[in-house]
Amino acid sequence: MPGRERPLDKYQPLLFLLLELWGGGPSPGPGAIFLARVFYLFLCPWRGRRPTALGGMFRNASAVCLHLVGPLRGKKPGASLARCLHQTLTMAKRLRARRLDGIDHNPWVEFVKLTSEEADVVNLGQGFPDFSPPEFAVEAFQHAVSGDFMLNQYTKAFGYPPLTKILASFFGKLLGQEIDPLKNVLVTVGAYGALFTAFQALVDEGDEVIIIEPFFDCYEPMTLMAGGRPVFVSLKPSSTQKGEPNSSSNWQLDPTELASKFTSRTKALILNTPNNPLGKVFSREELELVASLCQQHDVVCITDEVYQWLVFDGFQHISIASLPGMWERTLTIGSAGKTFSVTGWKVGWVLGPDSLMKHLRTVHQNSIYHCATQGQAAVAQSFEREQLHFGQPSSYFVQLPQYIQRCRDHMIQSLQSVGLRPVIPQGSYFLITDISDFKNKMPDLPGAADEPYDRRFVKWMIKNKGLAAIPVSIFFSVPHRKIFDHYIRFCFVKDESTLRAMDQKLQKWKAELTP
């Protein structure tokens, strides 16, 4: 009715007063009027409500007001205040996409930072070699940089033609397939890029992805970002006889449990062999079980095989795509970084049938589009060299695992000297070691009450013993982290000087343990 005071009008002077107290002036400027209008609109849905309800709503609005006008403290009234308020309101909108919810924390950032902050720490946590790549790979890269000037320009979007050609030829023989360089090969920004492209291309909202744990920690967030739902199944250690060495081969899948994870919503299964962090090399029998279930339920297998050349003790790496009926439903991912000890080059690839690869190409052409030409040229030349030497003593794929196995054995012996109990890996860069004895002797290490023990132990070890490792619980789903929080991971793909520095730290540790 004309002349009747509206219930909300009496609150407008309070908003002006709030701005005045926040550093404005006695006469409300455009900013105050703008804010009053904003909150008038904010309260409009509450017109006609009972005073008590309105009061409660106003208290909520006032709280929001305090949050919004905080940045305006000390601002003078006028157009600048209005602009500042507009910017504040704009930035109050949700900025982060919902697909990032719950995946913003990265444990690698935390532990790398912690390692760098402490002086004289031997870094055995991150998985990279600290020795020189093979001479032929370095020369190939130098030639790519200083040779043909056109290698400074774009190449084909899906891969430098000499590289896709040699990958098709090399792996075609290993997989028993006629691989088309144009249809069955995609070059990516490292294996990480290959994994991301695969998840984005194939996983849809509500699709389930089976992840075998322990798993490389990017599999879960990549599933979530694609809208999928991770479904976890654990490798579990079997008991060993007293005195018998604990091996990664003792960690097994329960066939019944694995089968129970497949449903009508299962879209893909992610396989990692040799496994990071465990170092397990899946046997033919285990791969045949996975293959049978994938075929039975019409599921795609994404297989991460970046450590395929790093297999020890006579074990054999088998690609699941080589099994009958699996090429048609498998994406095989590889890495030049792990193959030639050049992790900084970031050249990876995916091999698979065109029915799957065409979808990865769609993602690739609308995101990365193209990978660095010179790195691809160097990898192509390195593979051409290896194809000539394949299976011979001069092959890098023969020499590297022999050297790395000696590094592994060195580390195992050294860790055992202080009471750590390594699980002997069959492959990869890594081993995990059981810290149960330390958990029993010193259970109350500093840290949050709900923090897994292995995280607290690694932080303590970095600070007090000068040795960096990675807690194994980060490679498990949240419900299983406390179950497996008595293991830590070490990288043994290190130069002899690094291993000697490790020995010195461990010998000092051993002396402290001796009564």
Side-chain angles (χ1 to χ4, degrees), residues 105-111 125 213-221 232 276-277 452 454-455 458 469-478 480-482 484-485 487-489:
H105 175 72
N106 187 303
W108 299 101
V109 175
E110 177 186 0
F111 285 98
E213 53 183 0
F215 58 90
F216 185 48
D217 66 301
C218 74
Y219 301 159
E220 181 180 10
F232 301 99
N276 173 14
D454 58 345
R455 293 174 68 101
V458 167
I470 296 293
V472 168
S473 62
I474 71 169
F475 301 101
F476 282 89
S477 58
V478 172
H480 295 157
R481 286 180 182 170
K482 283 294 185 76
F484 294 95
D485 74 346
Y487 295 98
I488 59 175
R489 190 197 78 171

Side-chain angles (χ1 to χ4, degrees), residues 154-315:
Y154 294 129
T155 185
K156 298 289 185 181
F158 304 132
Y160 177 60
L163 178 55
T164 57
K165 182 179 178 181
I166 189 63
L167 290 173
S169 171
F170 194 95
F171 287 98
K173 295 182 178 71
L174 295 177
L175 299 176
Q177 295 291 329
E178 287 291 332
I179 295 182
D180 185 328
L182 299 178
K183 294 182 178 180
N184 305 132
V185 182
L186 174 65
V187 179
T188 59
V189 181
Y192 219 87
L195 287 162
F196 185 80
T197 301
F199 281 104
Q200 289 295 313
L202 301 180
V203 178
D204 215 344
E205 193 76 30
D207 286 344
E208 293 179 351
V209 177
I210 296 174
I211 301 175
I212 299 170
E213 53 183 0
F215 58 90
F216 185 48
D217 66 301
C218 74
Y219 301 159
E220 181 180 10
M222 286 186 182
T223 299
L224 294 170
M225 276 192 284
R229 187 174 81 86
V231 176
F232 301 99
V233 59
S234 296
L235 290 161
K236 297 183 178 70
S238 57
S239 58
T240 58
Q241 298 294 326
K242 188 174 182 180
E244 180 185 347
N246 194 356
S247 168
S248 59
S249 61
N250 295 334
W251 290 59
Q252 301 282 333
L253 288 169
D254 180 328
T256 303
E257 183 185 10
L258 176 62
S260 72
K261 302 298 180 179
F262 286 80
T263 73
S264 60
R265 297 179 297 278
T266 306
K267 185 67 168 289
L269 177 145
I270 177 78
L271 176 71
N272 179 207
T273 181
N275 173 273
N276 173 14
L278 186 57
K280 176 183 174 63
V281 176
F282 282 76
S283 67
R284 179 176 292 274
E285 182 181 1
E286 290 171 314
L287 294 175
E288 287 173 346
L289 170 65
V290 172
S292 173
L293 289 167
C294 286
Q295 292 177 48
Q296 180 183 337
H297 294 276
D298 192 23
V299 166
V300 173
C301 181
I302 303 171
T303 178
D304 179 351
E305 301 184 5
V306 298
Y307 301 106
Q308 74 174 98
W309 306 112
L310 291 167
V311 179
F312 318 123
D313 301 325
F315 283 91

Side-chain angles (χ1 to χ4, degrees), residues 112-190:
V112 169
K113 181 174 182 290
L114 185 60
T115 300
S116 65
E117 289 173 347
E118 296 292 333
D120 193 30
V121 172
V122 180
N123 186 356
L124 304 173
Q126 288 178 280
F128 64 88
D130 61 357
F131 50 79
S132 176
E135 190 173 326
F136 66 81
V138 175
E139 290 175 354
F141 196 89
Q142 291 170 340
H143 179 72
V145 172
S146 60
D148 183 359
F149 69 89
M150 285 305 294
L151 293 179
N152 292 288
Q153 309 306 326
Y154 294 129
T155 185
K156 298 289 185 181
F158 304 132
Y160 177 60
L163 178 55
T164 57
K165 182 179 178 181
I166 189 63
L167 290 173
S169 171
F170 194 95
F171 287 98
K173 295 182 178 71
L174 295 177
L175 299 176
Q177 295 291 329
E178 287 291 332
I179 295 182
D180 185 328
L182 299 178
K183 294 182 178 180
N184 305 132
V185 182
L186 174 65
V187 179
T188 59
V189 181

Side-chain angles (χ1 to χ4, degrees), residues 351-365:
L351 310 173
D354 188 50
S355 59
L356 298 176
M357 295 295 292
K358 63 183 180 182
H359 305 303
L360 275 71
R361 291 194 294 269
T362 299
V363 173
H364 184 85
Q365 72 190 15

Side-chain angles (χ1 to χ4, degrees), residues 155-157 187-190 346 364 368-374 376:
T155 185
K156 298 289 185 181
V187 179
T188 59
V189 181
K346 293 299 291 181
H364 184 85
I368 300 302
Y369 182 71
H370 173 276
C371 304
T373 307
Q374 292 165 335
Q376 293 187 67

